[in-house]
Amino acid sequence: MARVYNFSAGPSMLPEEVLKQAADEMLDYQGSGQSVMEMSHRSKVYDKIIKDAEADLREIMNIPDNYKVLFLQGGASTQFAMIPMNLMTKNGKADFVITGQWAKKAYEEAARYGDAKAVASSKDKTFSYIPKVEKSDFRPDADYVHICLNNTIYGTKWNILPDTGDVPLVADISSNILSEPIDVSKFGVLFAGAQKNVACAGVTIVIIREDLIGNAMDITPTMLNYKIHADSDSLYNTPPCYAIYIAGLTFKWIKKMGGLEAMKELNEKKAKLLYDFLDSSKLFKGTVVPEDRSLMNVPFVTGDEELDAKFVKESTAAGFVNLKGHRSVGGMRASIYNAMPYEGVEKLVEFMKKFEAENSK
Ligand SMILES: *Cc1c(COP(=O)(O)O)cnc(C)c1O
């Protein structure tokens, strides 16, 4: 069996060890005689799976005790409505920094529930940088400030967090969760869909400071109320059982790898290899300003659409799949999440060098 190097932005590669363990346990999870897919979510054996997953995540991310960890459904996109319904309830205001499509979607969704304000945007240069914002750009009476910490489509990352004063900072970390340490205490809410760096699609992780729970709007559907899920330890209704189990296996894998400091080191090494090549290449060019580059998503172009298409075609044939860029940026994008081995990036760079030699005039 030949596995490809999968550079998909999501769903994306999972650690081979995780997949193998899931395969081994498919028919009989640890002597229970059942697959995790078949188990009651109220059973003792499943209870241990979900409790261990939470405990391991808390340990890896160093999550303070005054934060709840929730395993929800609906993807990161559902959080775009859930956050305003639960948080935009003191002054009915929230501020957004528009760094790409995901931040814009969050802003547009929140605008349906209150006074949403876009305080800055990097649309003028196709979101190729993170706008500089000052504390004075934010409304001091906003209920929260929303940012997208890593912009999956455009390949930018906030390397310095904005100063929002006492206003809670809410961050979408769908594409950089677990890629490096994050100081959770600087945020009111962190959320991520699992399918980029954690598990198969189906579970959404929400890490929320306790004082932000319990203030939902009256119209909030039961299933979109953080308090409902927090009070029942993510077991109000049937959770996405299997995705939580896979997430748990990934958390154990990360612990074995040495935790988030070790992941950061590995991710920086992988990203440096690719960015250094892009900076030295005469054919390929990165699209993001160096100081705001993502460790996870690396968009690049040749400047010639036909050549881009040729590269995508030839790289796919060579076993480097899903390198086609997002339709809004064009060109290529290599998503190099935790599960992408160093060797995968090394081989991609070799392939790009060969392509450059064959296609330079
Ligand atoms: C993929 C992604 C989303 C959307 O996630 P869904 O789980 O598909 O709703 C939102 N934000 C970011 C940053 C993403 O990368």
PDB file of all heavy atoms in Angstrom, residues 9 74-78 80 102 148 150-153 172-175 191 193-196 204 337, ligand 1:
ATOM      1  N   ALA A   9      -5.789  21.112   2.934  1.00  0.00           N
ATOM      2  CA  ALA A   9      -6.037  22.076   4.016  1.00  0.00           C
ATOM      3  C   ALA A   9      -7.028  21.529   5.032  1.00  0.00           C
ATOM      4  O   ALA A   9      -7.114  22.019   6.148  1.00  0.00           O
ATOM      5  CB  ALA A   9      -6.553  23.376   3.425  1.00  0.00           C
ATOM      6  N   GLY A  74     -21.185  20.586  14.577  1.00  0.00           N
ATOM      7  CA  GLY A  74     -21.524  21.743  13.742  1.00  0.00           C
ATOM      8  C   GLY A  74     -20.333  22.429  13.104  1.00  0.00           C
ATOM      9  O   GLY A  74     -20.501  23.381  12.337  1.00  0.00           O
ATOM     10  N   GLY A  75     -19.130  21.975  13.408  1.00  0.00           N
ATOM     11  CA  GLY A  75     -17.949  22.575  12.795  1.00  0.00           C
ATOM     12  C   GLY A  75     -17.642  23.950  13.356  1.00  0.00           C
ATOM     13  O   GLY A  75     -18.430  24.525  14.124  1.00  0.00           O
ATOM     14  N   ALA A  76     -16.509  24.480  12.956  1.00  0.00           N
ATOM     15  CA  ALA A  76     -16.127  25.833  13.390  1.00  0.00           C
ATOM     16  C   ALA A  76     -17.182  26.833  12.928  1.00  0.00           C
ATOM     17  O   ALA A  76     -17.465  27.822  13.613  1.00  0.00           O
ATOM     18  CB  ALA A  76     -14.757  26.196  12.826  1.00  0.00           C
ATOM     19  N   SER A  77     -17.811  26.562  11.804  1.00  0.00           N
ATOM     20  CA  SER A  77     -18.789  27.511  11.245  1.00  0.00           C
ATOM     21  C   SER A  77     -19.977  27.741  12.179  1.00  0.00           C
ATOM     22  O   SER A  77     -20.535  28.840  12.209  1.00  0.00           O
ATOM     23  CB  SER A  77     -19.286  27.006   9.888  1.00  0.00           C
ATOM     24  OG  SER A  77     -18.206  26.862   8.998  1.00  0.00           O
ATOM     25  N   THR A  78     -20.380  26.725  12.927  1.00  0.00           N
ATOM     26  CA  THR A  78     -21.483  26.904  13.869  1.00  0.00           C
ATOM     27  C   THR A  78     -21.085  27.860  14.999  1.00  0.00           C
ATOM     28  O   THR A  78     -21.920  28.589  15.533  1.00  0.00           O
ATOM     29  CB  THR A  78     -21.950  25.536  14.422  1.00  0.00           C
ATOM     30  OG1 THR A  78     -22.457  24.784  13.328  1.00  0.00           O
ATOM     31  CG2 THR A  78     -23.030  25.676  15.472  1.00  0.00           C
ATOM     32  N   PHE A  80     -19.549  30.508  14.641  1.00  0.00           N
ATOM     33  CA  PHE A  80     -19.741  31.890  14.176  1.00  0.00           C
ATOM     34  C   PHE A  80     -21.090  32.450  14.647  1.00  0.00           C
ATOM     35  O   PHE A  80     -21.241  33.660  14.794  1.00  0.00           O
ATOM     36  CB  PHE A  80     -19.638  31.968  12.639  1.00  0.00           C
ATOM     37  CG  PHE A  80     -18.297  31.542  12.084  1.00  0.00           C
ATOM     38  CD1 PHE A  80     -18.157  31.224  10.742  1.00  0.00           C
ATOM     39  CD2 PHE A  80     -17.172  31.479  12.896  1.00  0.00           C
ATOM     40  CE1 PHE A  80     -16.928  30.843  10.212  1.00  0.00           C
ATOM     41  CE2 PHE A  80     -15.931  31.093  12.378  1.00  0.00           C
ATOM     42  CZ  PHE A  80     -15.815  30.772  11.035  1.00  0.00           C
ATOM     43  N   TRP A 102     -12.661  33.327   6.685  1.00  0.00           N
ATOM     44  CA  TRP A 102     -13.254  32.778   7.913  1.00  0.00           C
ATOM     45  C   TRP A 102     -13.600  33.884   8.890  1.00  0.00           C
ATOM     46  O   TRP A 102     -14.648  33.846   9.550  1.00  0.00           O
ATOM     47  CB  TRP A 102     -12.339  31.733   8.550  1.00  0.00           C
ATOM     48  CG  TRP A 102     -12.130  30.543   7.652  1.00  0.00           C
ATOM     49  CD1 TRP A 102     -10.940  30.106   7.143  1.00  0.00           C
ATOM     50  CD2 TRP A 102     -13.142  29.657   7.140  1.00  0.00           C
ATOM     51  NE1 TRP A 102     -11.156  29.004   6.349  1.00  0.00           N
ATOM     52  CE2 TRP A 102     -12.488  28.703   6.326  1.00  0.00           C
ATOM     53  CE3 TRP A 102     -14.525  29.582   7.283  1.00  0.00           C
ATOM     54  CZ2 TRP A 102     -13.176  27.685   5.666  1.00  0.00           C
ATOM     55  CZ3 TRP A 102     -15.202  28.561   6.623  1.00  0.00           C
ATOM     56  CH2 TRP A 102     -14.529  27.627   5.834  1.00  0.00           C
ATOM     57  N   CYS A 148      -9.139  35.521  13.706  1.00  0.00           N
ATOM     58  CA  CYS A 148      -8.822  34.175  13.211  1.00  0.00           C
ATOM     59  C   CYS A 148      -7.296  34.057  13.322  1.00  0.00           C
ATOM     60  O   CYS A 148      -6.561  34.736  12.602  1.00  0.00           O
ATOM     61  CB  CYS A 148      -9.288  34.023  11.759  1.00  0.00           C
ATOM     62  SG  CYS A 148      -8.959  32.377  11.108  1.00  0.00           S
ATOM     63  N   ASN A 150      -4.983  31.757  12.765  1.00  0.00           N
ATOM     64  CA  ASN A 150      -4.228  31.264  11.604  1.00  0.00           C
ATOM     65  C   ASN A 150      -5.187  31.199  10.424  1.00  0.00           C
ATOM     66  O   ASN A 150      -6.233  30.554  10.508  1.00  0.00           O
ATOM     67  CB  ASN A 150      -3.649  29.875  11.889  1.00  0.00           C
ATOM     68  CG  ASN A 150      -2.793  29.364  10.743  1.00  0.00           C
ATOM     69  OD1 ASN A 150      -1.646  29.777  10.565  1.00  0.00           O
ATOM     70  ND2 ASN A 150      -3.339  28.471   9.932  1.00  0.00           N
ATOM     71  N   ASN A 151      -4.819  31.898   9.352  1.00  0.00           N
ATOM     72  CA  ASN A 151      -5.724  32.013   8.217  1.00  0.00           C
ATOM     73  C   ASN A 151      -5.395  30.956   7.159  1.00  0.00           C
ATOM     74  O   ASN A 151      -4.483  31.129   6.352  1.00  0.00           O
ATOM     75  CB  ASN A 151      -5.679  33.437   7.674  1.00  0.00           C
ATOM     76  CG  ASN A 151      -6.247  34.402   8.702  1.00  0.00           C
ATOM     77  OD1 ASN A 151      -7.458  34.536   8.830  1.00  0.00           O
ATOM     78  ND2 ASN A 151      -5.376  35.017   9.503  1.00  0.00           N
ATOM     79  N   THR A 152      -6.165  29.900   7.230  1.00  0.00           N
ATOM     80  CA  THR A 152      -5.959  28.673   6.454  1.00  0.00           C
ATOM     81  C   THR A 152      -5.836  28.928   4.953  1.00  0.00           C
ATOM     82  O   THR A 152      -5.012  28.322   4.278  1.00  0.00           O
ATOM     83  CB  THR A 152      -7.179  27.749   6.702  1.00  0.00           C
ATOM     84  OG1 THR A 152      -7.606  27.919   8.049  1.00  0.00           O
ATOM     85  CG2 THR A 152      -6.835  26.309   6.446  1.00  0.00           C
ATOM     86  N   ILE A 153      -6.658  29.813   4.451  1.00  0.00           N
ATOM     87  CA  ILE A 153      -6.714  30.031   3.003  1.00  0.00           C
ATOM     88  C   ILE A 153      -5.546  30.906   2.541  1.00  0.00           C
ATOM     89  O   ILE A 153      -4.895  30.613   1.547  1.00  0.00           O
ATOM     90  CB  ILE A 153      -8.062  30.691   2.614  1.00  0.00           C
ATOM     91  CG1 ILE A 153      -9.208  29.715   2.935  1.00  0.00           C
ATOM     92  CG2 ILE A 153      -8.061  31.129   1.151  1.00  0.00           C
ATOM     93  CD1 ILE A 153     -10.604  30.293   2.762  1.00  0.00           C
ATOM     94  N   ASP A 172     -10.427  31.918  16.491  1.00  0.00           N
ATOM     95  CA  ASP A 172     -10.630  30.715  15.679  1.00  0.00           C
ATOM     96  C   ASP A 172      -9.245  30.091  15.471  1.00  0.00           C
ATOM     97  O   ASP A 172      -8.373  30.692  14.842  1.00  0.00           O
ATOM     98  CB  ASP A 172     -11.251  31.157  14.346  1.00  0.00           C
ATOM     99  CG  ASP A 172     -11.563  29.995  13.407  1.00  0.00           C
ATOM    100  OD1 ASP A 172     -11.145  28.859  13.695  1.00  0.00           O
ATOM    101  OD2 ASP A 172     -12.227  30.249  12.377  1.00  0.00           O
ATOM    102  N   ILE A 173      -9.045  28.910  16.052  1.00  0.00           N
ATOM    103  CA  ILE A 173      -7.738  28.246  15.919  1.00  0.00           C
ATOM    104  C   ILE A 173      -7.891  26.914  15.161  1.00  0.00           C
ATOM    105  O   ILE A 173      -7.149  25.962  15.392  1.00  0.00           O
ATOM    106  CB  ILE A 173      -7.041  28.030  17.290  1.00  0.00           C
ATOM    107  CG1 ILE A 173      -7.947  27.268  18.275  1.00  0.00           C
ATOM    108  CG2 ILE A 173      -6.616  29.355  17.889  1.00  0.00           C
ATOM    109  CD1 ILE A 173      -7.199  26.776  19.541  1.00  0.00           C
ATOM    110  N   SER A 174      -8.863  26.895  14.240  1.00  0.00           N
ATOM    111  CA  SER A 174      -9.164  25.647  13.522  1.00  0.00           C
ATOM    112  C   SER A 174      -7.941  25.050  12.831  1.00  0.00           C
ATOM    113  O   SER A 174      -7.785  23.840  12.784  1.00  0.00           O
ATOM    114  CB  SER A 174     -10.245  25.891  12.475  1.00  0.00           C
ATOM    115  OG  SER A 174     -11.467  26.169  13.103  1.00  0.00           O
ATOM    116  N   SER A 175      -7.083  25.912  12.285  1.00  0.00           N
ATOM    117  CA  SER A 175      -5.979  25.359  11.495  1.00  0.00           C
ATOM    118  C   SER A 175      -4.621  25.474  12.187  1.00  0.00           C
ATOM    119  O   SER A 175      -3.604  25.147  11.584  1.00  0.00           O
ATOM    120  CB  SER A 175      -5.941  26.019  10.118  1.00  0.00           C
ATOM    121  OG  SER A 175      -5.949  27.412  10.234  1.00  0.00           O
ATOM    122  N   PHE A 191     -11.641  28.214  19.689  1.00  0.00           N
ATOM    123  CA  PHE A 191     -12.429  27.122  19.099  1.00  0.00           C
ATOM    124  C   PHE A 191     -11.773  26.614  17.829  1.00  0.00           C
ATOM    125  O   PHE A 191     -11.040  27.330  17.157  1.00  0.00           O
ATOM    126  CB  PHE A 191     -13.873  27.569  18.822  1.00  0.00           C
ATOM    127  CG  PHE A 191     -14.001  28.618  17.749  1.00  0.00           C
ATOM    128  CD1 PHE A 191     -14.281  28.265  16.435  1.00  0.00           C
ATOM    129  CD2 PHE A 191     -13.836  29.954  18.049  1.00  0.00           C
ATOM    130  CE1 PHE A 191     -14.409  29.237  15.443  1.00  0.00           C
ATOM    131  CE2 PHE A 191     -13.953  30.938  17.073  1.00  0.00           C
ATOM    132  CZ  PHE A 191     -14.242  30.575  15.761  1.00  0.00           C
ATOM    133  N   GLY A 193     -12.498  23.468  14.596  1.00  0.00           N
ATOM    134  CA  GLY A 193     -12.990  22.232  13.990  1.00  0.00           C
ATOM    135  C   GLY A 193     -11.826  21.246  14.026  1.00  0.00           C
ATOM    136  O   GLY A 193     -10.674  21.640  13.942  1.00  0.00           O
ATOM    137  N   ALA A 194     -12.133  19.962  14.143  1.00  0.00           N
ATOM    138  CA  ALA A 194     -11.055  18.994  14.387  1.00  0.00           C
ATOM    139  C   ALA A 194     -10.327  18.538  13.133  1.00  0.00           C
ATOM    140  O   ALA A 194      -9.221  18.007  13.209  1.00  0.00           O
ATOM    141  CB  ALA A 194     -11.636  17.766  15.081  1.00  0.00           C
ATOM    142  N   GLN A 195     -10.914  18.770  11.970  1.00  0.00           N
ATOM    143  CA  GLN A 195     -10.443  18.068  10.769  1.00  0.00           C
ATOM    144  C   GLN A 195      -9.169  18.614  10.141  1.00  0.00           C
ATOM    145  O   GLN A 195      -8.730  18.131   9.114  1.00  0.00           O
ATOM    146  CB  GLN A 195     -11.568  18.021   9.730  1.00  0.00           C
ATOM    147  CG  GLN A 195     -11.935  19.353   9.106  1.00  0.00           C
ATOM    148  CD  GLN A 195     -12.935  20.155   9.919  1.00  0.00           C
ATOM    149  OE1 GLN A 195     -13.129  19.912  11.103  1.00  0.00           O
ATOM    150  NE2 GLN A 195     -13.568  21.121   9.296  1.00  0.00           N
ATOM    151  N   LYS A 196      -8.550  19.642  10.767  1.00  0.00           N
ATOM    152  CA  LYS A 196      -7.299  20.150  10.218  1.00  0.00           C
ATOM    153  C   LYS A 196      -6.105  19.524  10.933  1.00  0.00           C
ATOM    154  O   LYS A 196      -5.167  19.075  10.312  1.00  0.00           O
ATOM    155  CB  LYS A 196      -7.218  21.681  10.366  1.00  0.00           C
ATOM    156  CG  LYS A 196      -8.463  22.438   9.930  1.00  0.00           C
ATOM    157  CD  LYS A 196      -8.505  22.742   8.447  1.00  0.00           C
ATOM    158  CE  LYS A 196      -9.881  23.095   7.930  1.00  0.00           C
ATOM    159  NZ  LYS A 196     -10.459  24.350   8.369  1.00  0.00           N
ATOM    160  N   THR A 204     -16.020  19.617  17.205  1.00  0.00           N
ATOM    161  CA  THR A 204     -15.500  20.977  17.302  1.00  0.00           C
ATOM    162  C   THR A 204     -15.096  21.201  18.751  1.00  0.00           C
ATOM    163  O   THR A 204     -15.898  20.949  19.662  1.00  0.00           O
ATOM    164  CB  THR A 204     -16.592  22.002  16.912  1.00  0.00           C
ATOM    165  OG1 THR A 204     -17.100  21.648  15.635  1.00  0.00           O
ATOM    166  CG2 THR A 204     -16.039  23.415  16.884  1.00  0.00           C
ATOM    167  N   TYR A 337       0.401  20.318   8.311  1.00  0.00           N
ATOM    168  CA  TYR A 337      -0.039  20.172   9.700  1.00  0.00           C
ATOM    169  C   TYR A 337       0.880  19.210  10.461  1.00  0.00           C
ATOM    170  O   TYR A 337       1.789  18.608   9.883  1.00  0.00           O
ATOM    171  CB  TYR A 337      -1.482  19.667   9.722  1.00  0.00           C
ATOM    172  CG  TYR A 337      -2.469  20.639   9.101  1.00  0.00           C
ATOM    173  CD1 TYR A 337      -3.184  20.318   7.950  1.00  0.00           C
ATOM    174  CD2 TYR A 337      -2.672  21.900   9.670  1.00  0.00           C
ATOM    175  CE1 TYR A 337      -4.090  21.208   7.381  1.00  0.00           C
ATOM    176  CE2 TYR A 337      -3.580  22.790   9.111  1.00  0.00           C
ATOM    177  CZ  TYR A 337      -4.283  22.446   7.967  1.00  0.00           C
ATOM    178  OH  TYR A 337      -5.167  23.333   7.410  1.00  0.00           O
TER     179      TYR A 337
HETATM  180  C1  LIG B   1     -11.766  25.103   8.037  1.00  0.00           C
HETATM  181  C2  LIG B   1     -11.948  26.335   8.827  1.00  0.00           C
HETATM  182  C3  LIG B   1     -13.220  26.756   9.266  1.00  0.00           C
HETATM  183  C4  LIG B   1     -14.485  26.004   8.908  1.00  0.00           C
HETATM  184  O1  LIG B   1     -14.545  24.842   9.609  1.00  0.00           O
HETATM  185  P1  LIG B   1     -15.833  23.880   9.532  1.00  0.00           P
HETATM  186  O2  LIG B   1     -15.514  22.886  10.594  1.00  0.00           O
HETATM  187  O3  LIG B   1     -15.842  23.311   8.141  1.00  0.00           O
HETATM  188  O4  LIG B   1     -17.026  24.690   9.803  1.00  0.00           O
HETATM  189  C5  LIG B   1     -13.309  27.884  10.036  1.00  0.00           C
HETATM  190  N1  LIG B   1     -12.215  28.587  10.359  1.00  0.00           N
HETATM  191  C6  LIG B   1     -10.976  28.219   9.943  1.00  0.00           C
HETATM  192  C7  LIG B   1      -9.797  29.040  10.350  1.00  0.00           C
HETATM  193  C8  LIG B   1     -10.810  27.085   9.165  1.00  0.00           C
HETATM  194  O5  LIG B   1      -9.585  26.729   8.765  1.00  0.00           O
END
